Amino acid sequence: MNKDKFLALDCNQRVAFVNDLLKNNHDLQQVADKIGINYSTFTKVMQEDDYVYIKRENQYYKFVRNVNTISSVDNSADELTAFINENLEVLKKLIEKYKRNDDFTIDKKIFASKLSTKTFRMPEELYQQFVRTCEKEFPHLKIQDIIAQLLLNFSNNYSNS
């Protein structure tokens, strides 16, 4: 790379280029010579945008003036991206369901009430179809809570009071 191309790079690209050369057993003088720029000019240009040379690391790093402006390195973003990529189809289905307002929610009253055990008679095929639907569409809900919500919905829809 020549001097003009080097100076045309933005600070971050310059630092990346120089750090790469420094990793390959070059020192600062050799890097300046390779670019074709005076050593003093090279070091001055490299200090732009608050970059500093750390000799023991043989690399340039961004100088931080205010510790509060440092954002902590968060590897959970990579984990989150991987999770989203793995579950993209499921997430799309959930979003579609939400858009159609097709989600089944359980009223808080159901959990706050005293429980009562009742026996209902119904066709086995109807019950099995209901269970399959519940397990497929609402695996996060208990069947007894779904039945209780359905009873509450029925009461709310058809009650005169």
Side-chain angles (χ1 to χ4, degrees), residues 45-114:
V45 167
M46 291 303 294
Q47 291 177 20
E48 289 177 7
D49 203 22
D50 288 336
Y51 279 97
V52 293
Y53 177 71
I54 308 296
K55 187 172 184 170
R56 72 175 175 268
E57 298 283 331
N58 196 31
Q59 294 284 287
Y60 277 91
Y61 292 100
K62 184 82 165 167
F63 179 75
V64 178
R65 293 183 186 277
N66 184 355
V67 177
N68 295 331
T69 61
I70 300 174
S71 63
S72 61
V73 176
D74 190 7
N75 291 336
S76 65
D78 294 336
E79 294 172 12
L80 179 62
T81 303
F83 175 80
I84 289 172
N85 288 336
E86 289 171 15
N87 297 291
L88 190 58
E89 290 304 314
V90 174
L91 292 170
K92 284 180 181 178
K93 288 178 184 176
L94 285 172
I95 291 169
E96 274 305 309
K97 239 181 189 182
Y98 180 76
K99 282 181 182 175
R100 293 190 315 257
N101 200 14
D102 201 17
D103 197 20
F104 188 81
T105 55
I106 304 291
D107 193 300
K108 292 179 184 178
K109 287 189 259 183
I110 291 171
F111 300 111
S113 303
K114 179 183 168 196

XYZ file of all heavy atoms in Angstrom, residues 45-114:
592
model
N -0.200 10.346 12.415
C -1.431 9.938 11.726
C -2.130 8.821 12.490
O -3.360 8.806 12.604
C -1.116 9.499 10.274
C -2.282 8.785 9.637
C -0.688 10.687 9.438
N -1.337 7.932 13.049
C -1.929 6.797 13.759
C -2.596 7.202 15.081
O -3.421 6.470 15.612
C -0.871 5.713 14.016
C -0.410 5.005 12.757
S -1.766 4.244 11.824
C -2.284 2.981 12.963
N -2.254 8.369 15.592
C -2.852 8.835 16.844
C -4.194 9.540 16.628
O -4.873 9.873 17.600
C -1.888 9.770 17.578
C -0.682 9.050 18.114
C 0.303 10.002 18.768
O -0.039 11.115 19.142
N 1.542 9.548 18.896
N -4.556 9.747 15.375
C -5.842 10.378 15.092
C -6.973 9.526 15.656
O -6.863 8.302 15.745
C -6.041 10.555 13.579
C -5.166 11.607 12.969
C -5.340 11.700 11.460
O -6.236 11.042 10.903
O -4.539 12.416 10.842
N -8.045 10.173 16.028
C -9.231 9.510 16.577
C -8.910 8.756 17.868
O -9.495 7.715 18.163
C -9.864 8.577 15.530
C -11.327 8.315 15.811
O -11.953 9.134 16.513
O -11.842 7.281 15.346
N -7.928 9.269 18.615
C -7.564 8.747 19.943
C -7.075 7.301 19.949
O -7.369 6.543 20.866
C -8.733 8.889 20.930
C -8.957 10.328 21.334
O -8.001 11.123 21.248
O -10.077 10.665 21.747
N -6.297 6.918 18.935
C -5.657 5.607 18.974
C -4.269 5.754 19.595
O -3.582 6.751 19.357
C -5.550 4.999 17.569
C -6.838 4.361 17.128
C -7.735 5.044 16.320
C -7.170 3.075 17.539
C -8.921 4.461 15.914
C -8.354 2.491 17.138
C -9.222 3.180 16.336
O -10.399 2.600 15.949
N -3.881 4.773 20.403
C -2.560 4.794 21.037
C -1.876 3.452 20.779
O -2.523 2.420 20.642
C -2.637 5.065 22.556
C -3.137 6.464 22.828
C -3.498 4.045 23.261
N -0.553 3.515 20.727
C 0.240 2.310 20.526
C 0.618 1.744 21.887
O 1.146 2.450 22.741
C 1.500 2.632 19.715
C 2.413 1.453 19.523
C 2.055 0.406 18.693
C 3.632 1.391 20.186
C 2.892 -0.675 18.514
C 4.482 0.312 20.007
C 4.110 -0.722 19.174
O 4.938 -1.794 18.997
N 0.351 0.465 22.080
C 0.738 -0.237 23.312
C 1.897 -1.151 22.939
O 1.718 -2.141 22.230
C -0.440 -1.060 23.896
C -1.692 -0.205 24.065
C -0.030 -1.729 25.201
C -1.570 0.932 25.054
N 3.075 -0.783 23.435
C 4.297 -1.475 23.027
C 4.294 -2.956 23.433
O 4.674 -3.816 22.636
C 5.518 -0.769 23.623
C 6.820 -1.322 23.120
C 7.989 -0.489 23.568
C 9.252 -1.057 22.946
N 10.385 -0.187 23.147
N 3.883 -3.260 24.671
C 3.924 -4.661 25.121
C 2.983 -5.560 24.306
O 3.179 -6.752 24.206
C 3.637 -4.761 26.616
C 2.219 -4.515 27.017
C 2.003 -4.767 28.513
N 0.666 -4.400 28.871
C 0.292 -3.217 29.306
N 1.188 -2.271 29.461
N -0.963 -2.976 29.593
N 1.942 -4.946 23.722
C 1.004 -5.691 22.872
C 1.403 -5.603 21.394
O 0.890 -6.372 20.580
C -0.411 -5.139 23.042
C -0.981 -5.259 24.441
C -1.449 -6.648 24.770
O -1.862 -7.386 23.850
O -1.390 -7.011 25.958
N 2.247 -4.620 21.070
C 2.651 -4.352 19.694
C 1.417 -4.126 18.805
O 1.326 -4.630 17.694
C 3.535 -5.473 19.131
C 4.268 -5.042 17.873
O 4.608 -3.884 17.704
N 4.500 -5.997 16.976
N 0.449 -3.341 19.342
C -0.799 -3.065 18.640
C -1.298 -1.665 18.987
O -0.937 -1.103 20.024
C -1.898 -4.062 19.073
C -1.647 -5.499 18.677
C -1.908 -5.736 17.210
O -3.054 -5.758 16.799
N -0.864 -5.923 16.441
N -2.137 -1.121 18.111
C -2.829 0.136 18.380
C -4.193 -0.183 18.965
O -4.873 -1.109 18.521
C -3.004 0.964 17.099
C -1.782 1.775 16.758
C -0.788 1.267 15.929
C -1.621 3.053 17.273
C 0.331 2.005 15.621
C -0.496 3.813 16.978
C 0.469 3.280 16.156
O 1.584 4.013 15.862
N -4.601 0.613 19.963
C -5.902 0.466 20.608
C -6.549 1.832 20.741
O -5.872 2.851 20.826
C -5.765 -0.157 22.003
C -5.318 -1.591 21.969
C -3.988 -1.932 22.197
C -6.217 -2.618 21.712
C -3.567 -3.238 22.165
C -5.808 -3.937 21.678
C -4.478 -4.242 21.905
O -4.072 -5.539 21.869
N -7.854 1.831 20.828
C -8.609 3.064 21.036
C -8.427 3.519 22.482
O -8.569 2.741 23.411
C -10.092 2.786 20.758
C -10.977 3.983 20.836
C -10.921 4.743 19.558
C -12.079 5.730 19.497
N -11.914 6.673 18.453
N -8.068 4.784 22.667
C -7.915 5.354 23.994
C -9.286 5.790 24.492
O -10.031 6.462 23.792
C -6.966 6.557 23.960
C -6.783 7.211 25.289
C -6.003 6.623 26.265
C -7.408 8.414 25.586
C -5.822 7.217 27.505
C -7.239 9.023 26.820
C -6.444 8.422 27.781
N -9.615 5.409 25.724
C -10.905 5.745 26.302
C -10.705 6.850 27.322
O -10.010 6.671 28.319
C -11.544 4.503 26.964
C -12.869 4.855 27.599
C -11.699 3.394 25.958
N -11.330 7.977 27.092
C -11.211 9.121 28.002
C -12.203 9.025 29.152
O -11.948 9.502 30.238
C -11.434 10.422 27.251
C -10.337 10.698 26.252
C -10.547 12.045 25.572
N -9.577 12.235 24.521
C -8.343 12.671 24.708
N -7.919 12.936 25.898
N -7.526 12.808 23.689
N -13.339 8.431 28.916
C -14.372 8.337 29.933
C -14.803 6.881 30.058
O -15.354 6.310 29.120
C -15.566 9.222 29.555
C -16.637 9.247 30.614
O -16.549 8.538 31.610
N -17.650 10.071 30.397
N -14.588 6.306 31.207
C -14.897 4.888 31.427
C -16.384 4.618 31.247
O -16.786 3.531 30.824
C -14.431 4.454 32.842
C -14.802 3.022 33.124
C -12.953 4.665 32.993
N -17.228 5.598 31.524
C -18.676 5.408 31.415
C -19.139 5.231 29.977
O -20.245 4.760 29.741
C -19.414 6.593 32.043
C -19.159 6.670 33.532
O -18.926 5.656 34.186
N -19.193 7.882 34.076
N -18.309 5.613 29.016
C -18.712 5.474 27.622
C -18.385 4.094 27.057
O -18.771 3.793 25.942
C -18.026 6.532 26.739
O -16.609 6.346 26.801
C -18.410 7.925 27.164
N -17.717 3.266 27.837
C -17.364 1.925 27.370
C -18.592 1.045 27.487
O -19.212 0.956 28.533
C -16.231 1.307 28.209
C -14.982 2.166 28.130
C -15.943 -0.114 27.753
C -13.879 1.691 29.045
N -18.938 0.406 26.407
C -20.024 -0.567 26.477
C -19.390 -1.923 26.741
O -18.409 -2.290 26.113
C -20.824 -0.588 25.182
O -20.002 -0.987 24.124
N -19.927 -2.637 27.678
C -19.342 -3.925 28.022
C -19.519 -4.898 26.868
O -20.517 -4.873 26.158
C -19.997 -4.494 29.288
O -21.363 -4.683 29.062
N -18.544 -5.739 26.688
C -18.603 -6.747 25.646
C -19.662 -7.758 26.038
O -19.648 -8.297 27.143
C -17.224 -7.434 25.466
C -17.315 -8.547 24.453
C -16.189 -6.402 25.069
N -20.589 -7.998 25.139
C -21.722 -8.849 25.453
C -21.782 -10.009 24.470
O -22.191 -9.830 23.327
C -23.005 -8.017 25.406
C -24.195 -8.767 25.943
O -24.015 -9.873 26.471
O -25.308 -8.226 25.839
N -21.358 -11.181 24.925
C -21.398 -12.360 24.066
C -22.807 -12.911 23.930
O -23.065 -13.754 23.085
C -20.471 -13.452 24.611
C -19.015 -13.056 24.482
O -18.667 -12.234 23.647
N -18.162 -13.638 25.306
N -23.712 -12.451 24.783
C -25.074 -12.959 24.704
C -25.737 -12.544 23.396
O -26.689 -13.174 22.962
C -25.903 -12.494 25.902
O -26.050 -11.097 25.877
N -25.239 -11.473 22.761
C -25.794 -11.071 21.469
C -25.564 -12.173 20.438
O -26.451 -12.458 19.629
C -25.169 -9.766 21.006
N -24.376 -12.795 20.460
C -24.100 -13.904 19.549
C -25.002 -15.094 19.849
O -25.507 -15.745 18.937
C -22.636 -14.328 19.652
C -21.682 -13.249 19.168
O -22.115 -12.399 18.362
O -20.526 -13.256 19.605
N -25.203 -15.368 21.132
C -26.084 -16.467 21.525
C -27.514 -16.181 21.105
O -28.219 -17.070 20.646
C -26.003 -16.687 23.036
C -24.656 -17.185 23.502
C -24.542 -17.205 25.019
O -25.566 -17.053 25.710
O -23.413 -17.364 25.507
N -27.934 -14.944 21.264
C -29.283 -14.554 20.875
C -29.480 -14.705 19.373
O -30.497 -15.232 18.921
C -29.563 -13.110 21.306
C -30.930 -12.547 20.949
C -32.033 -13.355 21.630
C -31.017 -11.093 21.353
N -28.502 -14.270 18.602
C -28.578 -14.409 17.147
C -28.667 -15.872 16.747
O -29.470 -16.240 15.885
C -27.358 -13.744 16.480
O -27.302 -12.383 16.886
C -27.424 -13.837 14.972
N -27.874 -16.711 17.376
C -27.918 -18.147 17.076
C -29.284 -18.728 17.424
O -29.858 -19.511 16.656
C -26.819 -18.877 17.843
N -29.825 -18.336 18.588
C -31.146 -18.825 19.005
C -32.219 -18.398 18.016
O -33.073 -19.193 17.623
C -31.483 -18.313 20.409
C -32.866 -18.675 20.858
C -33.127 -19.939 21.358
C -33.900 -17.759 20.766
C -34.401 -20.286 21.760
C -35.180 -18.101 21.165
C -35.431 -19.365 21.665
N -32.170 -17.131 17.597
C -33.167 -16.628 16.647
C -33.067 -17.372 15.328
O -34.085 -17.762 14.751
C -33.002 -15.106 16.446
C -33.442 -14.377 17.720
C -33.799 -14.616 15.239
C -33.139 -12.896 17.722
N -31.841 -17.601 14.855
C -31.665 -18.330 13.597
C -32.185 -19.756 13.696
O -32.796 -20.269 12.756
C -30.202 -18.322 13.174
C -29.763 -16.962 12.680
O -30.575 -16.156 12.239
N -28.476 -16.691 12.763
N -31.971 -20.403 14.838
C -32.427 -21.775 15.021
C -33.947 -21.866 15.112
O -34.540 -22.861 14.720
C -31.822 -22.368 16.299
C -30.345 -22.648 16.214
C -29.752 -23.033 17.561
O -30.518 -23.364 18.486
O -28.515 -22.993 17.676
N -34.585 -20.829 15.631
C -36.025 -20.864 15.882
C -36.799 -19.876 15.018
O -37.902 -19.460 15.392
C -36.281 -20.569 17.365
C -35.677 -21.633 18.238
O -36.135 -22.754 18.250
N -34.632 -21.278 18.968
N -36.259 -19.533 13.884
C -36.858 -18.509 13.042
C -38.278 -18.874 12.608
O -39.184 -18.035 12.668
C -35.971 -18.244 11.819
C -36.345 -17.048 10.971
C -36.323 -15.774 11.826
C -35.389 -16.891 9.810
N -38.500 -20.100 12.197
C -39.830 -20.505 11.729
C -40.856 -20.456 12.855
O -41.987 -20.002 12.665
C -39.781 -21.907 11.100
C -39.055 -21.938 9.771
C -39.631 -20.960 8.763
O -40.874 -20.896 8.600
O -38.833 -20.229 8.134
N -40.470 -20.895 14.043
C -41.372 -20.854 15.185
C -41.715 -19.408 15.525
O -42.890 -19.080 15.793
C -40.741 -21.565 16.410
C -41.596 -21.397 17.643
C -40.501 -23.030 16.110
N -40.715 -18.542 15.509
C -40.947 -17.129 15.798
C -41.883 -16.494 14.765
O -42.754 -15.699 15.117
C -39.618 -16.377 15.857
C -38.717 -16.740 17.038
C -37.334 -16.129 16.862
C -39.331 -16.295 18.344
N -41.715 -16.856 13.504
C -42.598 -16.334 12.461
C -44.042 -16.761 12.713
O -44.969 -15.959 12.556
C -42.144 -16.813 11.080
C -40.928 -16.105 10.547
C -40.557 -16.652 9.178
C -39.323 -15.979 8.607
N -38.944 -16.545 7.306
N -44.236 -18.017 13.104
C -45.590 -18.511 13.393
C -46.195 -17.769 14.583
O -47.379 -17.423 14.560
C -45.567 -20.010 13.667
C -45.331 -20.844 12.436
C -45.281 -22.316 12.776
C -44.936 -23.144 11.556
N -44.790 -24.566 11.884
N -45.388 -17.531 15.615
C -45.887 -16.792 16.771
C -46.286 -15.371 16.401
O -47.323 -14.867 16.851
C -44.827 -16.758 17.874
C -44.616 -18.029 18.667
C -43.399 -17.889 19.577
C -45.847 -18.348 19.489
N -45.494 -14.737 15.572
C -45.800 -13.374 15.141
C -47.081 -13.353 14.321
O -47.932 -12.478 14.501
C -44.611 -12.763 14.366
C -43.447 -12.529 15.325
C -45.007 -11.467 13.668
C -42.139 -12.186 14.646
N -47.238 -14.318 13.433
C -48.463 -14.404 12.635
C -49.682 -14.610 13.522
O -50.719 -13.991 13.326
C -48.368 -15.542 11.607
C -47.719 -15.150 10.321
C -48.386 -13.960 9.669
O -49.623 -13.947 9.493
O -47.668 -13.007 9.327
N -49.543 -15.480 14.502
C -50.636 -15.725 15.441
C -51.000 -14.442 16.179
O -52.162 -14.121 16.367
C -50.213 -16.788 16.455
C -51.073 -17.976 16.472
C -50.583 -18.942 17.514
C -51.354 -20.202 17.326
N -51.047 -21.216 18.269
N -49.979 -13.709 16.600
C -50.196 -12.462 17.328
C -50.869 -11.432 16.432
O -51.771 -10.716 16.854
C -48.870 -11.927 17.860
C -49.011 -10.638 18.628
C -49.521 -10.632 19.920
C -48.653 -9.427 18.043
C -49.663 -9.447 20.624
C -48.801 -8.244 18.742
C -49.299 -8.257 20.030
O -49.447 -7.089 20.708
N -50.452 -11.358 15.163
C -51.054 -10.413 14.230
C -52.540 -10.704 14.042
O -53.344 -9.795 13.913
C -50.346 -10.474 12.867
C -49.033 -9.763 12.819
C -48.453 -9.872 11.419
C -47.100 -9.222 11.317
N -46.490 -9.417 10.001
N -52.899 -11.986 13.999
C -54.300 -12.377 13.833
C -55.055 -12.320 15.151
O -56.240 -12.604 15.195
C -54.377 -13.796 13.274
C -53.859 -13.954 11.863
C -54.189 -15.315 11.289
N -53.955 -16.423 12.173
C -52.920 -17.254 12.120
N -52.004 -17.081 11.206
N -52.809 -18.238 12.965
N -54.340 -11.995 16.229
C -54.908 -12.001 17.575
C -55.516 -13.369 17.863
O -56.616 -13.501 18.380
C -55.945 -10.888 17.757
C -56.167 -10.581 19.208
O -55.396 -10.992 20.067
N -57.232 -9.859 19.496
N -54.771 -14.389 17.489
C -55.231 -15.762 17.534
C -54.684 -16.499 18.753
O -54.865 -17.690 18.881
C -54.749 -16.455 16.244
C -55.556 -17.687 15.902
O -56.654 -17.838 16.452
O -55.072 -18.480 15.082
N -53.997 -15.783 19.618
C -53.387 -16.436 20.771
C -54.430 -16.665 21.842
O -55.327 -15.859 22.051
C -52.231 -15.597 21.309
C -51.323 -16.392 22.222
O -51.345 -17.629 22.142
O -50.592 -15.769 23.009
N -54.316 -17.754 22.511
C -55.234 -18.131 23.579
C -54.602 -17.755 24.901
O -53.517 -18.216 25.219
C -55.477 -19.648 23.510
C -56.545 -20.132 24.428
C -57.873 -20.024 24.066
C -56.225 -20.690 25.652
C -58.870 -20.484 24.907
C -57.214 -21.146 26.501
C -58.543 -21.038 26.131
N -55.263 -16.896 25.663
C -54.708 -16.476 26.946
C -55.611 -16.929 28.076
O -56.832 -17.021 27.920
C -54.556 -14.940 27.013
O -55.817 -14.337 26.737
C -53.526 -14.451 26.014
N -54.989 -17.195 29.203
C -55.706 -17.656 30.388
C -55.917 -16.458 31.314
O -54.970 -15.743 31.628
C -54.901 -18.753 31.129
C -54.567 -19.914 30.195
C -55.632 -19.223 32.366
C -55.730 -20.759 29.770
N -57.150 -16.263 31.731
C -57.497 -15.179 32.648
C -56.881 -15.443 34.022
O -56.827 -16.593 34.478
C -59.020 -15.091 32.763
C -59.479 -13.817 33.422
O -59.096 -13.590 34.585
O -60.213 -13.056 32.770
N -56.424 -14.401 34.682
C -55.798 -14.530 36.005
C -56.763 -15.092 37.037
O -56.337 -15.715 38.015
C -55.266 -13.175 36.470
C -54.098 -12.679 35.669
C -53.635 -11.327 36.147
C -52.526 -10.814 35.262
N -52.082 -9.482 35.651
N -58.075 -14.886 36.840
C -59.076 -15.390 37.788
C -58.982 -16.907 37.956
O -59.257 -17.435 39.019
C -60.490 -15.045 37.316
C -60.851 -13.598 37.459
C -62.325 -13.404 37.181
C -62.524 -12.880 35.797
N -63.913 -12.603 35.456
N -58.584 -17.573 36.888
C -58.527 -19.037 36.915
C -57.482 -19.517 37.913
O -57.687 -20.495 38.618
C -58.274 -19.589 35.497
C -59.515 -19.334 34.657
C -57.894 -21.052 35.520
C -59.377 -19.603 33.214
N -56.384 -18.814 38.013
C -55.316 -19.225 38.921
C -55.587 -18.788 40.353
O -55.052 -19.361 41.293
C -53.974 -18.679 38.441
C -53.605 -19.161 37.063
C -53.592 -18.279 35.992
C -53.288 -20.481 36.841
C -53.256 -18.719 34.731
C -52.950 -20.936 35.577
C -52.941 -20.053 34.519
N -56.411 -17.769 40.525
C -56.683 -17.242 41.862
C -57.853 -17.961 42.533
O -58.084 -17.783 43.723
C -56.975 -15.746 41.770
N -58.578 -18.757 41.780
C -59.778 -19.412 42.318
C -59.442 -20.719 43.016
O -58.423 -21.355 42.750
C -60.759 -19.708 41.189
O -61.093 -18.539 40.507
N -60.363 -21.111 43.906
C -60.269 -22.418 44.552
C -60.575 -23.492 43.504
O -61.484 -23.331 42.689
C -61.290 -22.474 45.697
C -61.308 -23.787 46.413
C -62.386 -23.793 47.484
C -62.557 -25.213 47.970
N -63.802 -25.360 48.701
